[in-house]
Amino acid sequence: MPVKIRLQRHGKKGKPFYWVVAADSRSKRDGKFLEKLGTYNPNTNPATINLDVDGSVKWLQNGAQPTDTARAILSYKGVLLKHHLLGGVKKGALTEEQVEEKFNAWLEEKEKTIQSKVDGLDKAKADAKAKALEAEKEVNEKRAAAALPEVEEEVAEATEEVAETTEAAAEETVEETAAPAEEAPATEASTEEE
């Protein structure tokens, strides 16, 4: 039974999500599989890959052939490197400890490169957000500058109206205060007559 390490599609239309599986090469793409080795999500940046390295190496040692995409994923996660190093153990060129040491050193280097890419993407996103904010501020300032003469005219008109109404109100209050003063002597005279 020829075994292939391949991708099995899941997810929804336009948003694929893959399982990395070891399956009989004669089975359907999304059909029966022998073992699920991990997942691959190409929708994120960078792509999210979770993989059982030891299980994948075991299948490679037993003769499983990866498809082209699965080979790229296995290489990206270091499965092919570990398989190669374990071949050196079989020949007697390396020991198990040396293999683990080299593989862990490679993993640390790979993590650094992935983290630098993530940091670069975050920085680019922050720069784009800052540029958008600056552009928005400029547009708002232009709108405010264009609306400033109209607002000044409206304010001037409103202050003139307020001044006119206050003058009219002041004149009315002066007239009202003067009228009761004239009536006051008449009331005093009427009290004297009584």
Side-chain angles (χ1 to χ4, degrees):
M1 171 173 80
V3 177
K4 289 268 192 190
I5 296 176
R6 63 184 184 195
L7 300 180
Q8 191 177 69
R9 185 181 168 128
H10 293 274
K12 60 183 183 180
K13 184 167 46 172
K15 296 281 187 181
F17 183 83
Y18 298 97
W19 287 1
V20 180
V21 297
D24 184 359
S25 63
R26 296 168 290 189
S27 65
K28 296 179 181 179
R29 178 192 74 177
D30 298 336
K32 291 183 179 180
F33 58 89
L34 301 171
E35 184 180 352
K36 179 180 173 183
L37 302 173
T39 59
Y40 167 59
N41 184 2
N43 300 315
T44 60
N45 190 11
T48 307
I49 302 171
N50 297 320
L51 197 63
D52 176 18
V53 175
D54 294 328
S56 301
V57 169
K58 180 191 79 165
W59 279 105
L60 288 174
Q61 287 175 340
N62 289 336
Q65 295 297 312
T67 61
D68 293 338
T69 307
R71 181 180 300 279
I73 291 171
L74 295 176
S75 176
Y76 181 81
K77 293 305 276 187
V79 173
L80 295 180
L81 174 68
K82 192 164 187 177
H83 177 63
H84 174 73
L85 292 173
L86 289 175
V89 170
K90 285 183 184 176
K91 294 178 182 177
L94 297 170
T95 64
E96 291 282 337
E97 293 81 24
Q98 290 174 328
V99 167
E100 287 300 320
E101 189 176 303
K102 286 185 177 187
F103 183 68
N104 289 334
W106 182 87
L107 278 180
E108 288 175 9
E109 189 66 31
K110 186 71 170 180
E111 282 296 321
K112 287 179 185 175
T113 58
I114 292 171
Q115 191 60 40
S116 66
K117 180 179 181 181
V118 169
D119 292 342
L121 291 172
D122 290 343
K123 184 179 179 190
K125 188 184 288 186
D127 289 345
K129 191 173 182 179
K131 286 181 182 178
L133 184 62
E134 288 297 321
E136 188 174 334
K137 283 182 181 179
E138 289 178 16
V139 169
N140 288 340
E141 289 172 1
K142 288 179 182 177
R143 285 182 186 161
L148 190 60
E150 297 171 5
V151 170
E152 288 176 351
E153 290 175 11
E154 292 176 6
V155 168
E157 292 173 5
T159 54
E160 288 175 10
E161 291 175 9
V162 169
E164 290 174 3
T165 55
T166 55
E167 287 175 11
E171 289 174 5
E172 290 177 10
T173 55
V174 168
E175 290 174 2
E176 290 175 2
T177 56
E182 294 171 1
E183 293 174 4
T187 54
E188 289 176 9
S190 63
T191 56
E192 289 176 2
E193 292 174 2
E194 294 174 1

